[in-house]
């Protein structure tokens, strides 16, 4: 039974990716292009050393967003507020990091903790509204994303927490001193952010917390059945609130790599869209830390490799179509797999019942 579940759990994402490739093949053929040549070009471009470095750095951010979304999914929470939580984490991490002067390791640790607190605190608003007022976390988080962006834009004023470097039109926070910066690792022709190791730690901690702790058991139990968990003595509303805060805290780390290893300051030029990406990766990776990593690398690879299509006169937005098809296909595939597993379980139970009845009749 376990082998069957693993088999179908592997087949589902593979089938979704192949379906997406087939759709892309059809679209390119209708344009009169040679799909195979373009696929080869994308693969060749995506695996160039300098592009692999960029993909790895982007994978780390996507991975953290995916883990943040997966924590929410385990509680059946749709944390679409990852974008706002990540921005609050990166912004306040940058502000505090620029304002203090500490030894190197301690300085970086304080920035990371501040980013997690800021992201978690912002998510706590949606958690409170969900538990105390019954407000859907989807609605509240969508609103909170816009509010976060507006608050940061206001605070980034040169008269408040922002600064305008000479010769630049991009308002940003004051730069973080060298003691608060994270080193990079030189690989190929680029620099890989050392926050990669932090992402590995987060993935391991997420798996251990979920599978080896009482909190993780209560989290999964509450996600499976709120009423059953509450009846068994679990503080289900409290679990929902804590899980929401934990998801927001991880989301607060999404921009740490860019902040501490690249820009060393926060500006409105920081990328957006991590909410939908994180949710998609959690679905594709089945909320498993290893699955989310491969999904994150696939996403970053497609985005980077898709840039070469523009040189061939093909809109790079076709990559977005491909990603969307993967998500849609994986949802359908997992539903089919769930039904197959259910039927197999029913057959197994029926077989056991038949054997038991046969033994009783024989006696």
């Amino acid at each position: 039974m376990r082998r069957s579940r693993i088999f179908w759990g592997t087949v589902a994402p593979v089938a979704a990716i192949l379906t997406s490739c087939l759709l892309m093949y059809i679209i390119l053929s209708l344009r009169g292009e040679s799909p195979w040549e373009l696929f080869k070009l994308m693969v060749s471009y995506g695996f160039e050393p300098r592009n692999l470095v960029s993909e790895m750095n982007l994978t780390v951010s996507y991975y953290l967003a995916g883990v943040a979304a997966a924590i929410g999914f385990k509680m059946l929470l749709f944390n679409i507020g990852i974008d706002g939580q990540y921005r609050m984490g990166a912004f306040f991490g940058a502000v505090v990091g620029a304002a203090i002067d500490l030894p190197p390791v301690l300085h970086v640790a304080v920035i990371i903790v501040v980013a997690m607190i800021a992201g978690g605190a912002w998510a706590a608003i949606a958690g409170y509204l969900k538990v105390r007022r019954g407000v859907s976390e989807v609605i509240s988080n969508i609103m909170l994303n816009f509010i976060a962006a507006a608050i940061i834009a206001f605070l980034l004023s040169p008269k408040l927490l922002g600064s305008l470097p000479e010769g630049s039109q991009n308002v940003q926070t004051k730069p973080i001193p060298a003691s608060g910066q994270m080193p990079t690792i030189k690989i190929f022709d680029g620099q890989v952010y050392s926050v990669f190791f932090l992402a590995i730690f987060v993935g391991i901690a997420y798996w251990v917390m979920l599978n080896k702790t009482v909190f993780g058991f209560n989290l999964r139990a509450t996600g499976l059945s709120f009423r059953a968990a509450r009846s068994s003595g679990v503080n289900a509303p409290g679990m929902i609130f804590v899980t929401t805060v934990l998801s927001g805290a991880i989301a607060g780390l999404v921009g740490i790599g860019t902040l501490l290893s690249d820009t060393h300051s926060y500006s409105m030029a920081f990328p957006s869209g991590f909410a939908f990406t994180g949710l998609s990766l959690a679905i594709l990776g089945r909320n498993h830390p290893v699955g989310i990593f491969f999904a994150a690398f696939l996403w970053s690879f497609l985005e980077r490799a898709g840039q070469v299509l523009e040189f061939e006169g093909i809109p790079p937005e076709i990559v977005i179509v491909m990603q969307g098809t993967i998500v849609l296909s994986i949802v359908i595939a997992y539903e089919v797999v769930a039904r197959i597993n259910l039927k197999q379980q029913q057959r197994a139970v029926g077989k056991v019942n038949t054997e038991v009845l046969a033994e009783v009749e024989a006696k």
Side-chain angles (χ1 to χ4, degrees):
M1 183 67 70
R2 180 175 175 82
R3 288 182 179 179
S4 176
R5 293 183 64 181
I6 294 175
F7 170 76
W8 288 110
T10 304
V11 168
V14 172
I17 294 171
L18 292 177
T19 301
S20 179
C21 289
L22 177 61
L23 177 62
M24 191 173 177
Y25 182 93
I26 294 173
I27 293 174
L28 292 173
S29 297
L30 291 176
R31 284 180 55 93
E33 306 287 346
S34 174
W36 290 116
E37 292 300 321
L38 291 175
F39 284 152
K40 290 178 183 178
L41 183 62
M42 286 181 63
V43 171
S44 175
Y45 184 79
F47 280 107
E48 288 183 4
R50 60 186 178 86
N51 290 327
L52 279 174
V53 171
S54 298
E55 290 159 16
M56 185 55 65
N57 290 333
L58 188 57
T59 295
V60 171
S61 296
Y62 283 170
Y63 179 74
L64 291 170
V67 171
I71 293 173
F73 277 148
K74 284 296 182 180
M75 185 60 79
L76 298 184
L77 296 173
F78 202 75
N79 186 8
I80 203 170
I82 292 174
D83 236 33
Q85 295 151 15
Y86 127 76
R87 286 188 177 279
M88 295 297 277
F91 174 74
F92 283 103
V95 170
V96 172
I100 60 177
D101 185 16
L102 297 171
V105 177
L106 182 59
H107 198 160
V108 171
V110 168
I111 294 174
I112 291 174
V113 171
V114 168
M116 294 183 69
I117 292 175
W122 196 247
I125 300 174
Y128 175 83
L129 294 174
K130 172 78 172 179
V131 172
R132 294 298 183 184
R133 295 291 180 264
V135 179
S136 169
E137 73 279 5
V138 176
I139 302 299
S140 58
N141 273 319
I142 290 175
M143 296 298 102
L144 286 170
N145 283 342
F146 287 101
I147 295 172
I151 290 175
I152 292 174
F154 171 75
L155 293 177
L156 264 181
S157 168
K159 297 180 180 180
L160 296 175
L161 300 176
S163 64
L164 187 62
E166 187 176 352
S168 173
Q169 297 297 321
N170 187 26
V171 180
Q172 58 191 37
T173 59
K174 295 178 181 178
I176 297 174
S179 60
Q181 299 174 12
M182 293 184 72
T184 56
I185 305 170
K186 185 172 178 57
I187 298 179
F188 301 127
D189 296 327
Q191 304 289 334
V192 174
Y193 302 158
S194 55
V195 75
F196 174 80
F197 298 104
L198 176 62
I200 293 176
F201 173 79
V202 169
I204 295 174
Y206 163 68
W207 186 88
V208 171
M209 178 272 293
L210 204 62
N211 298 283
K212 301 296 180 179
T213 66
V214 175
F215 175 82
F217 176 81
N218 291 339
L219 188 157
R220 288 182 285 118
T222 307
L224 290 173
S225 176
F226 179 88
R227 292 183 178 179
R230 196 168 190 175
S231 300
S232 64
V234 176
N235 182 6
M239 288 300 302
I240 291 176
F241 179 79
V242 172
T243 302
T244 303
V245 173
L246 182 59
S247 177
I250 300 301
L253 295 175
V254 170
I256 285 296
T258 303
L259 176 65
L260 300 186
S261 296
D262 185 10
T263 62
H264 309 306
S265 63
Y266 179 87
S267 71
M268 295 305 290
F270 265 52
S272 60
F274 285 106
F276 289 106
T277 299
L279 294 169
S280 300
L281 299 180
I283 293 172
L284 183 58
R286 301 203 71 179
N287 298 326
H288 193 283
V290 177
I292 295 172
F293 170 78
F294 285 112
F297 179 76
L298 173 64
W299 236 242
S300 60
F301 177 84
L302 289 175
E303 291 189 4
R304 186 69 177 180
Q307 295 176 2
V308 75
L309 296 177
E310 195 169 5
F311 298 109
E312 301 297 321
I314 299 173
E317 286 75 16
I318 194 172
V319 172
I320 299 176
V321 175
M322 190 175 184
Q323 292 172 333
T325 306
I326 290 175
V327 175
L328 181 61
S329 300
I330 201 66
V331 170
I332 297 173
Y334 283 154
E335 179 62 27
V336 172
V337 169
R339 295 187 181 187
I340 291 174
N341 287 333
L342 179 61
K343 287 184 178 180
Q344 289 179 340
Q345 291 173 5
Q346 291 172 341
R347 289 174 183 172
V349 171
K351 184 178 179 181
V352 171
N353 290 338
T354 302
E355 292 175 353
V356 171
L357 288 174
E359 290 179 2
V360 171
E361 291 176 356
K363 293 179 180 180

